[in-house]
Amino acid sequence: MSSGGQPSSSSSQYPVLCASFNQDNSGFAISTRDGFKIYDSNTGRLCYERAVGAFIVVEMLYSSSLLAIVGGGEQPSLSPRRLCLFNTTTETALRELNFLTSVLAVRLNKKRLVVVLQKKTYIYDSNTLTILDAIDTVPNVKGLCAFSPSLDGCFLALPSSTTKGSVLVYNVMELHSHCEIDAHHSPLAAIAMSFNGMYIATASEQGTIIRVHLVSEATKSYSFRRGTYPSTIFSLSFGPSTQLPDILVALSSSGSIHVFSLVLAINQRGRRSNSFLGSLLPDSVNDAFDPAHHRVLHNAVPAGVKSNVVVRKVDKIADTGLSEAVACRATLSVITFNGHFLEYTVNINTQNESKWSLESEFNLLAVVSGEEQHFQLV
């Protein structure tokens, strides 16, 4: 799951205060100073809206009527220290949890509810709201976290250092620390986990290198170079595959979307390890920054505008250029905090050629309830 969706400050320059996709990326939520809205990712339809003030957290539980919401503090009734579980069908608060400090992030699945504060993270049973564990953390002022919602490999990732890019990986179902990964020399800027909890991706504040680790072994699996010059990574997202994700996507403050092919990296590593020289190279060398693994779309969003990206689907399609070849088509959905939704597709053939296309774009702040966007360019 993407590490995006961290709450913006209520004094943010953006009209969107928070933005998040649900666990299978079939829907997404945004909030403004007026309230929050829920959309269908497939059609762009506005499914629900509630205009009651500013919220800094709005998290969905798949496509159910349950939301976890946290107020922005601009009204006394919308305290940033209060988490409300809200039913959109009955429009009532089911339960409320109050904390001593502001809630910075919330993640949930059908069994667990995770609440991230600046120095502590709480794990609850989603059904009974019984507190199961409280994790003391290093100061996490950005509310950085990543969560794999699969019940079979349900892991939570949190920063474990303020001076370097270390990650604590916690088993949310079995309630114990799984491992700690030293990923970068600089503090973390973004974290993402694959849906099944098998892989974790990290980016540091430098933003030049994206690293992917195998969670079960706490080992660095792959390194990808995003660019030479520092850039803030706003969002990371794995492909939706329940096995090995096909791709990893990053969106940076340069306004570019970067697509990294995990499948190509695995195949190349296999070829290297089978060679005499490859078998002698350490992993740090074996993880070559091969540009063949990397595709970039420049100016995908305005430079500097905070945005979230997810890989909504990856399809294997027949390549018309090569009769027996199979190509990959990835559909990427983007929410910008200045209030736009964009959907891109990238086609990659077996000759490693790629082609980008903007399929749709619309203004989230202008959508009328129940209206479908029909994926029209604006």
Side-chain angles (χ1 to χ4, degrees):
M1 295 293 292
S2 172
S3 70
Q6 317 316 340
S8 292
S9 164
S10 60
S11 62
S12 168
Q13 71 270 35
Y14 303 118
V16 174
L17 302 180
C18 74
S20 62
F21 289 86
N22 65 357
Q23 292 81 358
D24 58 9
N25 298 331
S26 62
F28 64 92
I30 68 165
S31 76
T32 66
R33 285 176 176 78
D34 297 324
F36 60 84
K37 300 180 179 184
I38 307 295
Y39 296 85
D40 184 310
S41 296
N42 295 297
T43 64
R45 183 173 64 90
L46 176 58
C47 303
Y48 181 84
E49 63 178 322
R50 188 168 176 83
V52 292
F55 289 83
I56 54 171
V57 173
V58 182
E59 289 287 330
M60 306 170 65
L61 178 61
Y62 290 93
S63 296
S64 73
S65 59
L66 181 67
L67 297 179
I69 55 178
V70 178
E74 294 185 353
Q75 302 174 23
S77 61
L78 298 178
S79 169
R81 297 187 299 276
R82 181 185 303 124
L83 168 64
C84 174
L85 295 179
F86 184 79
N87 186 314
T88 58
T89 301
T90 61
E91 297 199 319
T92 57
L94 302 176
R95 288 284 298 274
E96 290 185 347
L97 297 172
N98 292 285
F99 301 91
L100 295 177
T101 60
S102 295
V103 176
L104 300 180
V106 176
R107 298 290 185 268
L108 68 163
N109 64 14
K110 295 175 182 178
K111 296 285 188 180
R112 295 291 185 261
L113 169 68
V114 177
V115 183
V116 179
L117 311 183
Q118 183 171 321
K119 293 184 179 180
K120 197 175 282 285
T121 296
Y122 293 95
I123 314 295
Y124 293 86
D125 182 292
S126 291
N127 297 304
T128 65
L129 289 192
T130 303
I131 187 167
L132 302 175
D133 202 358
I135 308 167
D136 291 317
T137 63
V138 299
N140 184 11
V141 295
K142 297 177 183 177
L144 279 180
C145 64
F147 185 62
S148 54
S150 169
L151 299 182
D152 295 327
C154 188
F155 292 100
L156 172 70
L158 298 163
S160 60
S161 172
T162 57
T163 58
K164 62 179 181 177
S166 298
V167 189
L168 169 68
V169 180
Y170 181 91
N171 188 315
V172 178
M173 297 305 295
E174 298 178 9
L175 303 173
H176 63 77
S177 175
H178 175 74
C179 67
E180 186 168 327
I181 298 171
D182 290 327
H184 304 270
H185 295 300
S186 301
L188 294 170
I191 325 171
M193 298 200 76
S194 59
F195 183 89
N196 61 0
M198 185 178 294
Y199 289 92
I200 180 171
T202 59
S204 75
E205 291 179 350
Q206 290 293 311
T208 54
I209 304 296
I210 310 294
R211 292 207 162 95
V212 178
H213 294 77
L214 186 62
V215 170
S216 62
E217 300 177 12
T219 55
K220 177 168 67 70
S221 300
Y222 311 101
S223 293
F224 300 103
R225 181 173 289 283
R226 180 210 57 82
T228 304
Y229 298 102
S231 183
T232 301
I233 303 298
F234 287 139
S235 181
L236 288 172
S237 174
F238 282 100
S241 171
T242 55
Q243 300 301 317
L244 172 73
D246 301 274
I247 60 174
L248 172 68
V249 175
L251 194 152
S252 69
S253 58
S254 67
S256 300
I257 293 177
H258 304 262
V259 175
F260 304 99
S261 173
L262 297 175
V263 172
L264 275 176
I266 290 170
N267 291 340
Q268 185 179 73
R269 173 181 282 182
R271 288 194 298 271
R272 277 208 190 95
S273 61
N274 290 332
S275 70
F276 173 73
L277 180 59
S279 65
L280 300 178
L281 293 174
D283 280 346
S284 59
V285 179
N286 222 3
D287 283 337
F289 301 119
D290 191 332
H293 302 156
H294 181 197
R295 296 158 192 87
V296 58
L297 176 63
H298 297 289
N299 304 312
V301 299
V305 174
K306 185 177 179 183
S307 304
N308 288 351
V309 63
V310 297
V311 185
R312 210 154 56 76
K313 58 182 177 178
V314 176
D315 299 312
K316 295 293 193 302
I317 58 173
D319 187 333
T320 55
L322 296 171
S323 58
E324 296 183 358
V326 175
C328 166
R329 174 188 290 143
T331 301
L332 314 179
S333 295
V334 181
I335 303 170
T336 70
F337 277 58
N338 64 359
H340 287 265
F341 177 87
L342 305 97
E343 185 161 279
Y344 289 98
T345 58
V346 55
N347 291 292
I348 305 167
N349 64 21
T350 53
Q351 295 173 309
N352 205 32
E353 298 167 333
S354 59
K355 180 181 180 181
W356 290 84
S357 175
L358 175 62
E359 301 295 336
S360 68
E361 178 183 5
F362 60 87
N363 187 334
L364 293 167
L365 307 179
V367 178
V368 178
S369 182
E371 176 184 346
E372 290 193 15
Q373 300 311 305
H374 301 297
F375 295 135
Q376 305 254 333
L377 293 179
V378 297

